[in-house]
Amino acid sequence: MKVLCVRQPWAHAIIYGKKNVENRTWATTYRGPMLIAASAGKITARRWELIQKYLAERKAKIELSDLQYAGIIGMVELTECLDKNSRLKEGDTMERYGSFQTVINSKWAQGPVYWVLRKPKPLPFIPIKGTLGLFDPPPNVKAKLKKLDVL
């Protein structure tokens, strides 16, 4: 299992707000369960004002007081990474076809690389020091996840 650190409020939107596509500049070959960690960076008042407009356009409601920082807040399944040049090929699975449909229909897809996310599940907050890229959870976090029957 890997961890992806995501800024707020996008981490919250992934776990609670039906954000089914995470936009990245890079792809990964990893597929499977992925922990979503909210980064430590707080949102400024000006940035929150802009984010609220963006969320309203997507009919998404998030309260600033609901956001947690610097820790794991949930998990998802990463099923696919697509980009603007991705194409369906003969023999592709229905799951891959479904990933294309998710991106096409998602109000969140902006690219350039679309990480298709499914099965969001909130978890009790677990503090973690985030880093860039996908990373393995440290031993202390793995122990807490085992107690939650996540690993």
Side-chain angles (χ1 to χ4, degrees):
M1 182 176 296
K2 298 289 186 182
V3 181
L4 179 68
C5 213
V6 180
R7 286 184 177 180
Q8 286 290 26
W10 316 124
H12 185 89
I14 289 169
I15 300 302
Y16 299 100
K18 308 298 184 206
K19 184 175 189 279
N20 55 1
V21 175
E22 172 61 3
N23 301 293
R24 294 278 149 172
T25 58
W26 51 281
T28 179
T29 57
Y30 177 78
R31 302 293 182 271
M34 184 172 69
L35 297 164
I36 299 297
S39 68
K42 303 282 178 148
I43 300 171
T44 65
R46 175 68 182 133
R47 185 164 173 252
W48 183 245
E49 186 179 307
L50 296 172
I51 287 169
Q52 286 296 89
K53 290 177 185 176
Y54 181 86
L55 292 171
E57 290 168 1
R58 282 149 186 80
K59 296 181 175 41
K61 181 109 172 98
I62 296 175
E63 298 295 331
L64 190 57
S65 60
D66 291 338
L67 303 181
Q68 296 175 294
Y69 296 89
I72 292 168
I73 63 168
M75 64 185 294
V76 295
E77 182 181 338
L78 174 60
T79 61
E80 191 71 64
C81 285
L82 302 171
D83 63 29
K84 293 177 182 175
N85 298 316
S86 296
R87 301 287 181 262
L88 284 170
K89 300 180 280 277
E90 188 175 330
D92 277 346
T93 64
M94 286 305 293
E95 184 174 12
R96 185 162 162 81
Y97 175 79
S99 293
F100 275 85
Q101 290 301 309
T102 297
V103 170
I104 289 167
N105 296 321
S106 178
K107 57 190 171 189
W108 303 100
Q110 294 183 322
V113 179
Y114 315 104
W115 290 30
V116 180
L117 311 173
R118 292 205 167 86
K119 302 178 185 172
K121 177 183 175 185
L123 293 173
F125 184 81
I126 302 171
I128 192 170
K129 182 171 173 37
T131 187
L132 295 177
L134 281 175
F135 61 98
D136 293 318
N140 67 317
V141 171
K142 283 184 182 178
K144 290 177 183 178
L145 293 168
K146 281 183 184 176
K147 286 182 182 178
L148 294 171
D149 202 25
V150 172
L151 286 182

